[in-house]
Amino acid sequence: MLALALACTVNAHAQFKEEAFTQTYNDTSIKTSAADTSDKLFSFKELFGGLAHKQDLRIGTMLGGSVFMPGASQIYNRQYWKLPIIYGGIGALAGTGGYYLHKYNVSKKNYEAALASVPEFATDVSITPAIDYRAKQTGTWLLVGAGLVYWGTLLDGAINYKPTEHPHPGRATVYSILLPGLGQAYNGEYWKIPIYWGCLIGSVHYYYTNNINYHRFKRIHNEATTNPELYTGPISAETAVWYRDVYRRYRDYSIVAMALFYLLQVIDANVFAYMHDFEVSDDISMNLEPAVIAPNNAYAFHSMPPAGIDNAVGIRLGVRF
């Protein structure tokens, strides 16, 4: 029956306008985004136009500008009072952290110089120049703090971005990029957060354990092959190199798993923000029947059919969901 109906549609090829297949479906009436299309990923002209408040910015452009110019999001959101906090926080923490790391490097160089000139210093703690490990720890944590302030400026910009729809796909995507699971919370899908965090934490755990074992068997292999006559360990060099390669492969798999789960939760947040209005009822049905299709109607058909072409015979497919 279906083959017979299709065979009768010999004139159907002339019914559709070419424009029906080239039109765009982006709603350009939405103020903040003619905006969130994928035809142009980033434009400095658009960015600086938005910072001058001459045009609206896509959230992706705003985020990209903030990556290179911290505080750009706050300028676009007209929250100028936050700029001294941002630059003061990043500058103070990064500068102080750099000072302490420099102090650690100086102490390390002094120790190495003293040890090279008088090797017996190494056995006399009282006169050996000390390496300032506390300065290294302090400097590292201060730089971490500067990084958190920088990360906070990006998240703050996304939170204060004013889209005209909720949930906004761009905001959900940025949330998930900056903090895994935050996009799902924004979409109201809280039950997904433990799943993604469990997968990410599991991947990090396996990376950590596999990396430890990889370095362990690498060290054993090096000891067994560098001085084989002095090596008395219970694991042979052949066994050590086999385990080394196995754990290195598992470690690399863990890295791939982390990247995939991270990317998956970003895609999930974006897709479900787009589909938040999509509803499927319990009444799902399909109706297939022959039909006579008139060429002059509102479904993007030719308003002026070619000479000799009248109605076309075909099939009508109706899907209810």
Coordinates of all heavy atoms in Angstrom, one line a residue, residues 103-189:
K103 N 61.2 33.8 47.4 CA 61.9 33.6 48.6 C 62.3 32.1 48.7 O 63.4 31.8 49.2 CB 61.0 34.0 49.8 CG 61.7 33.9 51.1 CD 60.7 34.4 52.2 CE 61.4 34.3 53.6 NZ 60.4 34.8 54.7
Y104 N 61.4 31.2 48.4 CA 61.7 29.8 48.4 C 62.9 29.5 47.4 O 63.8 28.7 47.8 CB 60.5 29.0 48.1 CG 60.8 27.6 47.6 CD1 61.2 26.6 48.5 CD2 60.7 27.3 46.2 CE1 61.5 25.3 48.0 CE2 61.0 26.0 45.8 CZ 61.4 25.0 46.7 OH 61.7 23.8 46.2
N105 N 62.8 30.0 46.2 CA 63.8 29.7 45.2 C 65.2 30.3 45.7 O 66.2 29.6 45.4 CB 63.4 30.4 43.9 CG 62.3 29.6 43.2 OD1 62.1 28.4 43.4 ND2 61.4 30.4 42.5
V106 N 65.2 31.4 46.3 CA 66.5 32.0 46.8 C 67.1 31.1 47.9 O 68.3 30.8 47.9 CB 66.3 33.4 47.4 CG1 67.5 33.9 48.1 CG2 65.9 34.3 46.2
S107 N 66.2 30.6 48.8 CA 66.7 29.7 49.8 C 67.2 28.4 49.3 O 68.2 27.8 49.7 CB 65.6 29.4 50.9 OG 64.6 28.7 50.3
K108 N 66.6 27.9 48.2 CA 67.0 26.7 47.6 C 68.4 26.8 46.9 O 69.3 26.0 47.0 CB 66.0 26.2 46.6 CG 66.3 24.8 46.0 CD 65.2 24.4 45.0 CE 65.5 23.1 44.4 NZ 64.4 22.6 43.5
K109 N 68.5 28.0 46.2 CA 69.8 28.2 45.6 C 71.0 28.4 46.6 O 72.1 27.9 46.4 CB 69.7 29.5 44.7 CG 68.8 29.3 43.4 CD 68.8 30.6 42.6 CE 67.9 30.4 41.4 NZ 67.8 31.6 40.6
N110 N 70.7 29.1 47.7 CA 71.7 29.2 48.7 C 72.1 27.9 49.3 O 73.3 27.6 49.6 CB 71.2 30.1 49.8 CG 71.0 31.6 49.4 OD1 71.6 32.0 48.4 ND2 70.2 32.3 50.1
Y111 N 71.1 27.0 49.5 CA 71.4 25.7 50.0 C 72.3 24.9 49.0 O 73.3 24.3 49.4 CB 70.1 24.9 50.3 CG 70.3 23.5 50.6 CD1 70.7 23.1 51.9 CD2 70.2 22.5 49.6 CE1 70.9 21.7 52.2 CE2 70.3 21.1 49.9 CZ 70.7 20.8 51.2 OH 70.9 19.5 51.5
E112 N 71.9 24.9 47.8 CA 72.7 24.2 46.8 C 74.1 24.7 46.6 O 75.1 24.0 46.4 CB 72.0 24.2 45.4 CG 70.6 23.4 45.4 CD 69.9 23.6 44.2 OE1 70.2 24.5 43.4 OE2 68.9 22.9 44.0
A113 N 74.2 26.1 46.7 CA 75.6 26.7 46.6 C 76.4 26.3 47.8 O 77.6 26.0 47.7 CB 75.4 28.2 46.5
A114 N 75.8 26.3 49.0 CA 76.6 25.9 50.2 C 77.0 24.5 50.2 O 78.1 24.1 50.6 CB 75.8 26.2 51.5
L115 N 76.1 23.6 49.7 CA 76.4 22.2 49.6 C 77.5 21.9 48.6 O 78.3 21.0 48.8 CB 75.1 21.4 49.3 CG 75.2 19.9 49.3 CD1 75.4 19.4 50.7 CD2 73.9 19.3 48.8
A116 N 77.5 22.6 47.5 CA 78.5 22.4 46.5 C 79.9 22.9 47.0 O 80.9 22.3 46.6 CB 78.1 23.2 45.2
S117 N 79.9 24.0 47.8 CA 81.2 24.5 48.2 C 81.8 23.7 49.4 O 83.0 23.5 49.5 CB 81.1 26.0 48.6 OG 80.1 26.1 49.6
V118 N 80.9 23.3 50.3 CA 81.4 22.5 51.5 C 80.4 21.3 51.7 O 79.4 21.5 52.3 CB 81.4 23.4 52.8 CG1 82.0 22.6 53.9 CG2 82.1 24.7 52.5
P119 N 80.8 20.2 51.1 CA 79.8 19.1 51.1 C 79.5 18.6 52.5 O 78.4 18.0 52.7 CB 80.6 18.0 50.3 CG 81.6 18.7 49.5 CD 81.9 19.9 50.3
E120 N 80.4 18.8 53.5 CA 80.1 18.3 54.9 C 79.0 19.1 55.5 O 78.4 18.6 56.5 CB 81.4 18.4 55.8 CG 81.9 19.8 55.9 CD 83.0 20.1 54.8 OE1 83.0 19.4 53.8 OE2 83.8 21.0 55.0
F121 N 78.5 20.2 54.9 CA 77.3 20.9 55.4 C 76.1 20.0 55.5 O 75.2 20.1 56.3 CB 77.0 22.1 54.6 CG 77.9 23.3 54.9 CD1 78.9 23.2 55.9 CD2 77.6 24.5 54.3 CE1 79.7 24.3 56.2 CE2 78.4 25.6 54.6 CZ 79.4 25.5 55.5
A122 N 76.1 19.0 54.5 CA 74.9 18.2 54.4 C 74.7 17.3 55.6 O 73.6 16.8 55.9 CB 75.0 17.3 53.2
T123 N 75.8 17.1 56.4 CA 75.6 16.2 57.6 C 75.5 17.0 58.9 O 75.4 16.4 60.0 CB 76.9 15.3 57.7 OG1 78.1 16.1 57.8 CG2 76.9 14.4 56.5
D124 N 75.6 18.3 58.8 CA 75.6 19.2 60.0 C 74.4 20.1 59.8 O 74.4 21.1 59.1 CB 76.9 20.0 60.1 CG 76.9 20.7 61.5 OD1 75.9 20.8 62.1 OD2 78.0 21.2 61.8
V125 N 73.3 19.8 60.5 CA 72.0 20.5 60.3 C 72.2 21.9 60.8 O 71.5 22.9 60.4 CB 70.9 19.8 61.0 CG1 69.6 20.5 60.9 CG2 70.7 18.4 60.5
S126 N 73.0 22.1 61.8 CA 73.1 23.4 62.5 C 73.7 24.5 61.6 O 73.4 25.7 61.7 CB 73.9 23.3 63.8 OG 75.3 22.9 63.4
I127 N 74.5 24.1 60.6 CA 75.2 25.1 59.8 C 74.7 25.0 58.3 O 75.1 25.8 57.5 CB 76.7 24.9 59.8 CG1 77.1 23.6 59.3 CG2 77.2 25.2 61.2 CD1 78.6 23.4 59.3
T128 N 73.9 24.0 58.0 CA 73.4 23.9 56.6 C 72.3 24.9 56.4 O 71.4 25.0 57.1 CB 72.8 22.5 56.4 OG1 73.8 21.5 56.6 CG2 72.3 22.3 55.0
P129 N 72.4 25.7 55.3 CA 71.4 26.7 55.0 C 70.1 25.9 54.7 O 70.0 25.0 54.0 CB 71.9 27.4 53.7 CG 73.4 27.2 53.7 CD 73.6 25.8 54.4
A130 N 69.0 26.4 55.4 CA 67.7 25.7 55.3 C 67.0 26.1 54.1 O 67.0 27.3 53.7 CB 66.9 25.9 56.5
I131 N 66.2 25.2 53.4 CA 65.3 25.5 52.3 C 64.0 25.9 53.0 O 63.4 25.2 53.8 CB 65.2 24.3 51.4 CG1 66.5 24.0 50.8 CG2 64.2 24.7 50.3 CD1 66.4 22.8 49.9
D132 N 63.5 27.1 52.5 CA 62.2 27.6 53.1 C 61.0 27.0 52.5 O 60.4 27.5 51.6 CB 62.2 29.1 53.0 CG 61.1 29.7 53.9 OD1 60.3 29.0 54.4 OD2 61.1 31.0 54.0
Y133 N 60.7 25.8 52.9 CA 59.5 25.1 52.3 C 58.2 25.7 52.7 O 57.2 25.6 52.0 CB 59.5 23.6 52.7 CG 60.6 22.8 52.1 CD1 61.7 22.4 52.8 CD2 60.5 22.4 50.8 CE1 62.7 21.6 52.2 CE2 61.5 21.7 50.2 CZ 62.6 21.3 50.9 OH 63.6 20.5 50.3
R134 N 58.2 26.4 53.8 CA 57.0 27.1 54.3 C 56.6 28.2 53.3 O 55.5 28.5 53.0 CB 57.1 27.7 55.7 CG 55.9 28.4 56.2 CD 56.1 28.8 57.6 NE 56.2 27.7 58.5 CZ 55.2 27.1 59.1 NH1 53.9 27.5 58.8 NH2 55.4 26.1 59.9
A135 N 57.7 28.9 52.8 CA 57.5 30.0 51.8 C 56.9 29.4 50.5 O 56.0 30.0 49.9 CB 58.8 30.7 51.5
K136 N 57.4 28.2 50.1 CA 56.8 27.6 48.9 C 55.3 27.2 49.1 O 54.5 27.5 48.2 CB 57.6 26.3 48.6 CG 57.1 25.5 47.4 CD 57.9 24.2 47.2 CE 57.3 23.5 46.0 NZ 58.0 22.2 45.8
Q137 N 55.0 26.7 50.3 CA 53.6 26.3 50.5 C 52.7 27.6 50.6 O 51.6 27.6 50.0 CB 53.5 25.6 51.8 CG 52.1 25.1 52.2 CD 52.1 24.3 53.5 OE1 52.9 24.6 54.4 NE2 51.1 23.4 53.6
T138 N 53.2 28.6 51.2 CA 52.4 29.9 51.3 C 52.2 30.5 49.9 O 51.1 30.9 49.6 CB 53.1 30.9 52.2 OG1 53.3 30.3 53.5 CG2 52.3 32.1 52.4
G139 N 53.3 30.6 49.2 CA 53.2 31.1 47.8 C 52.3 30.4 46.9 O 51.5 31.0 46.1
T140 N 52.3 29.0 47.0 CA 51.4 28.2 46.2 C 49.9 28.5 46.5 O 49.1 28.6 45.7 CB 51.7 26.7 46.4 OG1 53.1 26.5 46.0 CG2 50.8 25.8 45.6
W141 N 49.6 28.5 47.8 CA 48.2 28.8 48.2 C 47.8 30.2 47.9 O 46.6 30.4 47.5 CB 48.1 28.5 49.7 CG 48.0 27.1 50.1 CD1 48.9 26.3 50.8 CD2 46.9 26.2 49.8 NE1 48.4 25.0 50.9 CE2 47.2 24.9 50.3 CE3 45.7 26.4 49.1 CZ2 46.4 23.8 50.2 CZ3 44.8 25.3 49.0 CH2 45.2 24.0 49.5
L142 N 48.6 31.1 47.9 CA 48.3 32.5 47.5 C 47.9 32.5 46.0 O 47.0 33.2 45.6 CB 49.4 33.5 47.8 CG 49.5 33.8 49.3 CD1 50.8 34.6 49.6 CD2 48.3 34.6 49.8
L143 N 48.7 31.8 45.2 CA 48.4 31.8 43.8 C 47.1 31.0 43.5 O 46.4 31.4 42.6 CB 49.6 31.1 43.0 CG 50.9 31.9 42.9 CD1 51.9 31.1 42.1 CD2 50.7 33.3 42.3
V144 N 46.9 30.0 44.3 CA 45.6 29.3 44.2 C 44.4 30.3 44.5 O 43.4 30.3 43.8 CB 45.5 28.1 45.1 CG1 44.1 27.5 45.2 CG2 46.5 27.0 44.6
G145 N 44.6 31.1 45.5 CA 43.6 32.1 45.9 C 43.4 33.1 44.7 O 42.2 33.5 44.4
A146 N 44.5 33.5 44.1 CA 44.3 34.4 42.9 C 43.5 33.8 41.8 O 42.7 34.4 41.1 CB 45.7 34.9 42.4
G147 N 43.8 32.5 41.6 CA 43.0 31.7 40.6 C 41.6 31.6 40.9 O 40.7 31.7 40.0
L148 N 41.3 31.4 42.2 CA 39.9 31.4 42.6 C 39.1 32.7 42.4 O 38.0 32.7 42.0 CB 39.8 30.9 44.1 CG 40.1 29.5 44.4 CD1 40.1 29.2 45.9 CD2 39.2 28.5 43.6
V149 N 39.8 33.8 42.7 CA 39.2 35.1 42.5 C 39.0 35.3 41.0 O 37.9 35.8 40.6 CB 40.1 36.2 43.0 CG1 39.6 37.6 42.6 CG2 40.3 36.2 44.5
Y150 N 39.9 34.9 40.1 CA 39.7 35.0 38.7 C 38.5 34.1 38.2 O 37.7 34.6 37.4 CB 41.0 34.5 38.0 CG 40.9 34.4 36.5 CD1 41.0 35.5 35.7 CD2 40.8 33.1 35.9 CE1 40.9 35.3 34.3 CE2 40.8 33.0 34.5 CZ 40.8 34.1 33.7 OH 40.7 33.9 32.4
W151 N 38.5 32.9 38.8 CA 37.3 32.0 38.4 C 36.0 32.6 38.9 O 35.0 32.5 38.2 CB 37.6 30.6 39.1 CG 36.4 29.7 39.0 CD1 36.1 28.9 38.0 CD2 35.4 29.5 40.0 NE1 34.9 28.2 38.3 CE2 34.5 28.5 39.5 CE3 35.2 30.0 41.3 CZ2 33.4 28.0 40.3 CZ3 34.2 29.5 42.1 CH2 33.3 28.6 41.5
G152 N 36.1 33.2 40.1 CA 34.8 33.9 40.6 C 34.3 35.0 39.7 O 33.1 35.2 39.6
T153 N 35.2 35.7 39.1 CA 34.8 36.8 38.2 C 34.0 36.3 37.0 O 33.1 36.9 36.6 CB 36.0 37.6 37.7 OG1 36.9 36.8 36.9 CG2 36.8 38.2 38.9
L154 N 34.5 35.1 36.5 CA 33.8 34.5 35.3 C 32.4 34.0 35.8 O 31.4 34.3 35.0 CB 34.6 33.3 34.8 CG 36.0 33.7 34.3 CD1 36.7 32.4 33.8 CD2 36.0 34.7 33.2
L155 N 32.3 33.4 36.9 CA 31.0 32.9 37.4 C 30.1 34.0 37.7 O 28.9 34.0 37.4 CB 31.3 32.0 38.6 CG 30.0 31.3 39.2 CD1 29.4 30.4 38.1 CD2 30.4 30.4 40.4
D156 N 30.6 35.1 38.4 CA 29.8 36.2 38.7 C 29.2 36.9 37.4 O 28.1 37.3 37.4 CB 30.7 37.2 39.5 CG 29.9 38.5 39.7 OD1 29.1 38.6 40.7 OD2 30.2 39.5 39.0
G157 N 30.0 37.0 36.4 CA 29.5 37.5 35.1 C 28.4 36.7 34.6 O 27.4 37.3 34.1
A158 N 28.5 35.4 34.6 CA 27.4 34.5 34.1 C 26.2 34.7 34.9 O 25.1 34.7 34.4 CB 27.9 33.1 34.0
I159 N 26.3 34.8 36.3 CA 25.2 34.9 37.1 C 24.4 36.2 36.9 O 23.2 36.2 36.9 CB 25.6 34.8 38.6 CG1 26.1 33.3 38.9 CG2 24.5 35.1 39.6 CD1 26.7 33.2 40.3
N160 N 25.1 37.2 36.7 CA 24.5 38.5 36.5 C 24.1 38.9 35.0 O 23.6 40.0 34.8 CB 25.4 39.6 37.0 CG 25.5 39.6 38.6 OD1 24.6 40.1 39.3 ND2 26.6 39.0 39.1
Y161 N 24.4 38.0 34.1 CA 24.0 38.1 32.7 C 22.4 38.1 32.7 O 21.8 37.3 33.3 CB 24.6 37.0 31.9 CG 24.3 37.1 30.4 CD1 24.9 38.1 29.6 CD2 23.3 36.2 29.8 CE1 24.6 38.1 28.2 CE2 23.1 36.3 28.5 CZ 23.7 37.2 27.7 OH 23.4 37.3 26.3
K162 N 21.8 39.0 31.9 CA 20.4 39.1 31.9 C 19.8 38.6 30.6 O 19.6 39.4 29.6 CB 20.0 40.6 32.1 CG 20.5 41.2 33.4 CD 20.0 40.5 34.6 CE 20.4 41.1 35.9 NZ 20.0 40.4 37.1
P163 N 19.5 37.3 30.4 CA 18.9 36.9 29.2 C 17.4 37.1 29.3 O 16.8 37.5 30.3 CB 19.2 35.4 29.2 CG 19.3 35.0 30.7 CD 19.8 36.3 31.4
T164 N 16.7 36.9 28.2 CA 15.2 37.2 28.1 C 14.5 35.9 28.2 O 13.3 35.9 28.0 CB 14.9 37.9 26.8 OG1 15.4 37.1 25.7 CG2 15.5 39.3 26.8
E165 N 15.1 34.8 28.5 CA 14.4 33.5 28.6 C 15.1 32.7 29.7 O 16.2 32.9 30.1 CB 14.5 32.7 27.3 CG 16.0 32.4 26.8 CD 16.0 31.6 25.6 OE1 15.3 30.6 25.4 OE2 16.8 32.0 24.7
H166 N 14.3 31.8 30.3 CA 14.7 30.9 31.3 C 14.1 29.5 31.1 O 12.9 29.4 30.9 CB 14.3 31.5 32.7 CG 14.8 30.6 33.8 ND1 16.1 30.7 34.4 CD2 14.2 29.6 34.5 CE1 16.2 29.9 35.3 NE2 15.1 29.1 35.4
P167 N 15.0 28.5 31.2 CA 16.4 28.5 31.3 C 17.1 28.9 30.0 O 16.6 28.6 29.0 CB 16.8 27.1 31.7 CG 15.7 26.3 31.2 CD 14.5 27.1 31.2
H168 N 18.2 29.7 30.1 CA 18.9 30.2 29.0 C 20.0 29.2 28.6 O 20.9 28.9 29.5 CB 19.5 31.5 29.3 CG 20.2 32.2 28.1 ND1 21.5 32.1 27.9 CD2 19.6 32.9 27.1 CE1 21.8 32.8 26.8 NE2 20.7 33.3 26.3
P169 N 20.0 28.6 27.4 CA 21.0 27.6 27.1 C 22.5 28.0 27.2 O 23.3 27.3 27.7 CB 20.7 27.2 25.6 CG 19.3 27.6 25.5 CD 19.0 28.8 26.3
G170 N 22.7 29.3 26.9 CA 24.1 29.8 27.0 C 24.5 29.9 28.4 O 25.7 29.5 28.8
R171 N 23.6 30.3 29.3 CA 24.0 30.4 30.7 C 24.2 29.0 31.3 O 25.1 28.8 32.1 CB 22.9 31.1 31.5 CG 23.2 31.1 33.0 CD 22.1 31.9 33.7 NE 22.3 33.3 33.7 CZ 21.5 34.2 34.3 NH1 20.4 33.8 34.9 NH2 21.7 35.5 34.2
A172 N 23.3 28.1 31.0 CA 23.5 26.7 31.5 C 24.8 26.1 31.0 O 25.5 25.4 31.8 CB 22.3 25.8 30.9
T173 N 25.2 26.4 29.8 CA 26.5 25.9 29.3 C 27.7 26.5 30.0 O 28.6 25.7 30.4 CB 26.6 26.2 27.8 OG1 25.5 25.6 27.1 CG2 27.9 25.5 27.2
V174 N 27.6 27.8 30.2 CA 28.7 28.4 30.9 C 28.8 27.9 32.4 O 29.9 27.7 32.9 CB 28.5 30.0 30.9 CG1 29.5 30.7 31.8 CG2 28.7 30.5 29.5
Y175 N 27.7 27.7 33.0 CA 27.7 27.2 34.4 C 28.4 25.9 34.4 O 29.2 25.6 35.3 CB 26.2 27.1 34.9 CG 25.6 28.3 35.4 CD1 24.2 28.4 35.6 CD2 26.4 29.5 35.6 CE1 23.7 29.6 36.1 CE2 25.8 30.7 36.0 CZ 24.4 30.7 36.3 OH 23.8 31.9 36.8
S176 N 28.1 25.0 33.5 CA 28.7 23.7 33.5 C 30.1 23.7 33.2 O 30.9 22.8 33.6 CB 27.9 22.7 32.5 OG 26.6 22.4 33.0
I177 N 30.5 24.6 32.3 CA 32.0 24.8 32.0 C 32.7 25.2 33.3 O 33.8 24.7 33.6 CB 32.2 25.8 30.9 CG1 31.6 25.2 29.6 CG2 33.6 26.2 30.7 CD1 31.7 26.2 28.4
L178 N 32.2 26.2 34.0 CA 32.9 26.7 35.2 C 32.8 25.8 36.4 O 33.8 25.7 37.2 CB 32.3 28.1 35.5 CG 32.5 29.2 34.5 CD1 31.8 30.5 34.9 CD2 34.0 29.4 34.2
L179 N 31.7 25.1 36.5 CA 31.5 24.2 37.7 C 30.7 23.0 37.3 O 29.4 23.2 37.1 CB 30.9 24.9 38.9 CG 30.7 24.1 40.2 CD1 32.1 23.6 40.7 CD2 30.0 24.9 41.2
P180 N 31.2 21.8 37.1 CA 30.4 20.7 36.7 C 29.2 20.5 37.6 O 29.3 20.5 38.9 CB 31.4 19.5 36.8 CG 32.8 20.1 36.6 CD 32.7 21.5 37.3
G181 N 28.1 20.3 37.0 CA 26.8 20.1 37.7 C 26.0 21.3 38.0 O 24.8 21.2 38.2
L182 N 26.6 22.5 37.9 CA 25.9 23.7 38.1 C 24.9 24.0 37.0 O 23.8 24.5 37.3 CB 26.9 24.9 38.2 CG 26.3 26.2 38.6 CD1 25.7 26.1 40.0 CD2 27.4 27.3 38.7
G183 N 25.2 23.6 35.8 CA 24.2 23.7 34.7 C 23.0 22.9 34.9 O 21.9 23.3 34.6
Q184 N 23.2 21.7 35.5 CA 22.1 20.8 35.8 C 21.2 21.4 36.9 O 20.0 21.3 36.9 CB 22.6 19.4 36.2 CG 23.0 18.5 35.0 CD 24.3 19.0 34.3 OE1 25.2 19.6 35.0 NE2 24.4 18.8 33.0
A185 N 21.9 22.0 37.9 CA 21.1 22.7 39.0 C 20.3 23.8 38.4 O 19.2 24.0 38.8 CB 22.1 23.1 40.1
Y186 N 20.9 24.6 37.5 CA 20.2 25.7 36.9 C 19.0 25.2 36.1 O 17.9 25.9 36.1 CB 21.2 26.4 36.0 CG 20.6 27.5 35.1 CD1 20.1 28.7 35.7 CD2 20.4 27.4 33.7 CE1 19.6 29.7 34.9 CE2 19.9 28.4 33.0 CZ 19.5 29.5 33.5 OH 18.9 30.5 32.8
N187 N 19.1 24.1 35.5 CA 18.0 23.5 34.7 C 16.9 22.8 35.6 O 15.9 22.4 35.1 CB 18.5 22.5 33.7 CG 19.2 23.2 32.5 OD1 19.0 24.4 32.3 ND2 20.1 22.4 31.9
G188 N 17.2 22.7 36.9 CA 16.3 22.1 37.8 C 16.4 20.5 37.8 O 15.6 19.9 38.4
E189 N 17.5 20.0 37.3 CA 17.7 18.6 37.2 C 18.8 18.1 38.2 O 19.9 17.7 37.9 CB 18.1 18.1 35.8 CG 17.1 18.5 34.7 CD 17.6 18.2 33.3 OE1 18.7 18.5 33.0 OE2 16.7 17.8 32.5

